[in-house]
Amino acid sequence: MDVEDLKLNLASDDPAIGLRASLALHRLAERVEARHVAAAREKGWSWQQIGDALGVTRQSVHTKYNKE
């Protein structure tokens, strides 16, 4: 689903279409977040810094993304 389709589907009055678009948006956001967390770790950011940037605790971001 491209961005324009996503935009239209999110505004749909049909709940089935809107919910599928919402799921697609959520999955996209998760991939973007994971990519940026990995980039931050590669640049030496602490889990605390990443958590602060995401508005969550360092423990929650560490639990979600720690691959060590």
Side-chain angles (χ1 to χ4, degrees), residues 10-60:
L10 285 168
S12 175
D13 290 333
D14 182 337
I17 293 171
L19 289 169
R20 280 194 304 271
S22 176
L23 177 60
L25 183 60
H26 176 76
R27 288 178 176 166
L28 174 61
E30 288 289 323
R31 288 192 309 266
V32 170
E33 181 178 289
R35 184 177 330 126
H36 286 285
V37 167
R41 291 296 293 162
E42 287 174 10
K43 292 178 187 258
W45 282 39
S46 69
W47 291 112
Q48 183 67 54
Q49 288 173 297
I50 296 168
D52 289 346
L54 292 173
V56 299
T57 65
R58 68 175 176 80
Q59 293 91 346
S60 66

Side-chain angles (χ1 to χ4, degrees), residues 53-67:
L54 292 173
V56 299
T57 65
R58 68 175 176 80
Q59 293 91 346
S60 66
V61 76
H62 180 266
T63 298
K64 186 173 181 179
Y65 291 108
N66 186 38
K67 304 295 183 196

